[in-house]
Amino acid sequence: MRTGHQGTGPGTITPDGCAVELYSRLPVGAEPDIIAAAVPAGARILELGCGVGRMTHPLLERGFAVTAVDESPGMLERVRGARTILSPIEDLDLGETFDVVLLASFLVHTGDVEVRRGLLRTCLRHLADGGCVLIQREGEDYHSDLPRQRVDPTGFTVRTLSSDPVGDGVNSVRVEYEFPDATWTQTFRARPMTPEAFEEALAEQGLRVHGYLTEDRTWVRAMPVSP
Ligand SMILES: C[S@@+](CC[C@H](N)C(=O)[O-])C[C@H]1O[C@@H](n2cnc3c(N)ncnc32)[C@H](O)[C@@H]1O
């Protein structure tokens, strides 16, 4: 388990505190539509941190060729129809490039700056000429609108209970998912970043924001800085 990350509830828990069974139950939101609207039809997508394939499966259904990467064997074995790669994202070097690299689920907010650099380097290393990186970042109120809860129409409640500073600009976030028959919690470290700090983090690795895909600016298209 990564320092500061923890998960409780039934089934396998990944090193970052996610529960495999929970992610198998969570419905997908607007993510596949946002991605599909931003990239060419049939694009080759490298999905980093795919989990059980919550986004992978709808992307495959929309005709994209997805290579799905995760460090958790328990997550990956639930992915169907995609090429899967078991690896920490930071260490990935497939020796090939993709039209789109997808870094979703707020992974760019990792508390560890070196890991963040590694994640972004992996994105760049796997990008084809003219390709783009799609990044999902936290919304403006992510760490301040607390506690908050959302009752999902499919029958579970997600509560973001707290986000407390633990030093060096990093917060410890605690989230609870309550289903009628089971409850999962996840505690994880996240580094809040203003849009400016986010853009700096990208620039440091040779990427620049090429536009925001959603009004709330949580979905970003990034491209390599021109030489
Ligand atoms: C919050 S889950 C989201 C999964 C999926 N993107 C989704 O939206 O359903 C994060 C996933 O990323 C994986 N992950 C987190 N950090 C990783 C890293 N550094 N290398 C590889 N996988 C990582 C975890 O194992 C987990 O499956």
Side-chain angles (χ1 to χ4, degrees):
M1 198 64 65
R2 286 211 181 90
T3 306
H5 291 245
Q6 202 203 335
T8 65
T12 304
I13 307 285
T14 63
D16 66 343
C18 293
V20 173
E21 187 57 40
L22 167 66
Y23 273 85
S24 301
R25 291 188 185 197
L26 291 180
V28 73
E31 297 95 331
D33 289 334
I34 293 167
I35 296 161
V39 306
R44 291 164 302 139
I45 299 179
L46 178 66
E47 185 189 3
L48 303 173
C50 62
V52 296
R54 207 168 59 97
M55 285 189 247
T56 322
H57 298 138
L59 289 172
L60 290 169
E61 281 162 21
R62 285 164 173 76
F64 297 106
V66 186
T67 296
V69 179
D70 206 285
E71 66 186 353
S72 159
M75 288 285 193
L76 271 191
E77 71 187 20
R78 300 200 180 194
V79 176
R80 300 276 171 261
R83 171 189 177 201
T84 55
I85 311 269
L86 177 68
S87 172
I89 297 165
E90 312 84 284
D91 299 345
L92 191 73
D93 191 356
L94 295 174
E96 60 186 289
T97 57
F98 297 80
D99 305 313
V100 178
V101 181
L102 186 56
L103 185 67
S105 304
F106 317 129
L107 293 181
V108 74
H109 288 272
T110 174
D112 186 328
V113 171
E114 268 314 310
V115 171
R116 183 186 73 210
R117 290 178 177 139
L119 300 179
L120 292 171
R121 276 197 294 264
T122 293
C123 293
L124 198 55
R125 188 158 60 236
H126 291 90
L127 207 53
D129 283 349
C132 67
V133 184
L134 300 187
I135 302 175
Q136 186 184 24
R137 56 185 293 276
E138 294 167 350
E140 207 181 310
D141 298 336
Y142 190 87
H143 295 275
S144 53
D145 174 24
L146 294 167
R148 60 179 179 270
Q149 82 166 25
R150 181 175 66 81
V151 179
D152 192 90
T154 62
F156 67 93
T157 301
V158 53
R159 300 186 183 93
T160 306
L161 300 170
S162 56
S163 174
D164 301 318
V166 291
D168 185 34
V170 176
N171 284 12
S172 173
V173 182
R174 190 170 161 76
V175 184
E176 179 183 87
Y177 297 85
E178 188 184 338
F179 286 72
D181 61 335
T183 298
W184 285 272
T185 68
Q186 187 185 3
T187 304
F188 57 95
R189 297 259 169 108
R191 179 181 295 277
M193 283 189 282
T194 61
E196 294 73 26
F198 170 73
E199 292 187 15
E200 263 173 44
L202 260 56
E204 196 189 68
Q205 299 307 317
L207 286 164
R208 74 184 165 88
V209 172
H210 200 258
Y212 286 90
L213 307 179
T214 51
E215 249 177 52
D216 64 5
R217 296 187 150 221
T218 56
W219 278 92
V220 183
R221 185 205 307 275
M223 295 183 79
V225 175
S226 309

